[in-house]
Amino acid sequence: KAGVTQTPRYLIKTRGQQVTLSCSPISGHRSVSWYQQTPGQGLQFLFEYFSETQRNKGNFPGRFSGRQFSNSRSEMNVSTLELGDSALYLCASSLIMTALYGYTFGSGTRLTVV
Amino acid sequence: DQQVKQNSPSLSVQEGRISILNCDYTNSMFDYFLWYKKYPAEGPTFLISISSIKDKNEDGRFTVFLNKSAKHLSLHIVPSQPGDSAVYFCAARGSQGNLIFGKGTKLSVKP
């Protein structure tokens, strides 16, 4: 079966701009989580969506937002980009919320802010 | 403050030997721990997990040990193979159900 698909794979944006990242979960998976990976901080939880509702949120500023559509696809938006937002953004999907070993990660979107 | 710590950024092991990756955590309320492996340009893939009610879980060459009193867990890979070379992340399930990751340990297995 197809895995978790994230688009685009690479993105270069200018400071102050906004960006939207997309994630298509595994077919049938209803939960989508987003994580940010940076060399200094490792993998940090951004938020989790289930049935089009944000269920959990990490400690990120309001510039980071997301949504989930009825087909479980999810988008993540970052507004007023800062240099520190440069990171690998990973999406993970699972059948149910707060899944444990059921998380499947995509390959990520590498965002560079210049 | 970091709740899940992997204090060794890198580890080098000879093929066929044992690899031991360590992880410490601060919150005694964590109830589930996982290990993920990540190759460059790929997302992390689940490796093995352990519930806080157990002290050991084994899956083939991979064994995870949990010492709750020390708030410490370790991943043993025996025997190590060159294909095991990757970054290994330790994670704990947080109170909201999200995963809290360590910063990772890069394992290099030399032929």
Side-chain angles (χ1 to χ4, degrees):
Chain A
K1 57 180 177 183
V4 178
T5 304
Q6 290 187 249
T7 56
R9 287 297 305 274
Y10 303 93
L11 207 49
I12 300 175
K13 288 287 189 179
T14 304
R15 194 170 44 182
Q17 285 186 313
Q18 75 161 14
V19 67
T20 299
L21 312 182
S22 179
C23 172
S24 293
I26 289 174
S27 178
H29 283 195
R30 298 172 62 191
S31 172
V32 173
S33 299
W34 288 88
Y35 287 81
Q36 180 196 63
Q37 186 188 7
T38 58
Q41 296 300 320
L43 276 150
Q44 292 188 292
F45 172 70
L46 280 154
F47 25 66
E48 179 176 18
Y49 285 86
F50 184 82
S51 293
E52 301 178 62
T53 302
Q54 185 181 92
R55 303 291 181 162
N56 297 311
K57 190 177 190 303
N59 296 324
F60 278 81
R63 300 185 296 109
F64 291 80
S65 63
R67 59 178 176 169
Q68 186 179 35
F69 302 95
S70 57
N71 61 358
S72 294
R73 190 178 71 86
S74 177
E75 286 182 348
M76 190 192 101
N77 185 274
V78 188
S79 62
T80 320
L81 283 166
E82 300 176 0
L83 296 178
D85 296 332
S86 295
L88 179 67
Y89 289 88
L90 291 159
C91 167
S93 78
S94 59
L95 273 169
I96 58 174
M97 248 178 56
T98 68
L100 302 170
Y101 44 82
Y103 273 125
T104 302
F105 282 87
S107 298
T109 293
R110 172 74 62 186
L111 172 64
T112 303
V113 182
V114 298
Chain B
D1 187 32
Q2 238 189 315
Q3 297 189 66
V4 177
K5 298 179 184 179
Q6 293 178 259
N7 292 318
S8 298
S10 63
L11 175 68
S12 184
V13 170
Q14 205 67 31
E15 180 180 6
R17 296 291 189 97
I18 183 172
S19 294
I20 300 176
L21 297 105
N22 294 303
C23 178
D24 296 298
Y25 61 95
T26 57
N27 191 338
S28 58
M29 299 302 292
F30 288 151
D31 65 346
Y32 217 88
F33 302 90
L34 306 88
W35 284 92
Y36 276 81
K37 178 171 71 173
K38 186 179 185 299
Y39 293 116
E42 294 182 15
T45 55
F46 170 77
L47 202 54
I48 192 169
S49 63
I50 187 166
S51 165
S52 61
I53 63 173
K54 294 187 175 182
D55 55 18
K56 177 183 173 181
N57 188 27
E58 195 172 349
D59 184 3
R61 297 186 297 115
F62 302 91
T63 303
V64 56
F65 295 93
L66 175 63
N67 182 334
K68 281 179 290 186
S69 60
K71 296 192 184 71
H72 176 85
L73 65 156
S74 61
L75 174 68
H76 293 211
I77 306 174
V78 183
S80 301
Q81 299 173 354
D84 295 329
S85 297
V87 177
Y88 289 78
F89 291 96
C90 166
R93 181 166 71 163
S95 58
Q96 292 180 312
N98 58 291
L99 295 181
I100 301 169
F101 285 87
K103 292 186 178 181
T105 297
K106 183 176 183 179
L107 173 66
S108 299
V109 180
K110 300 186 177 182

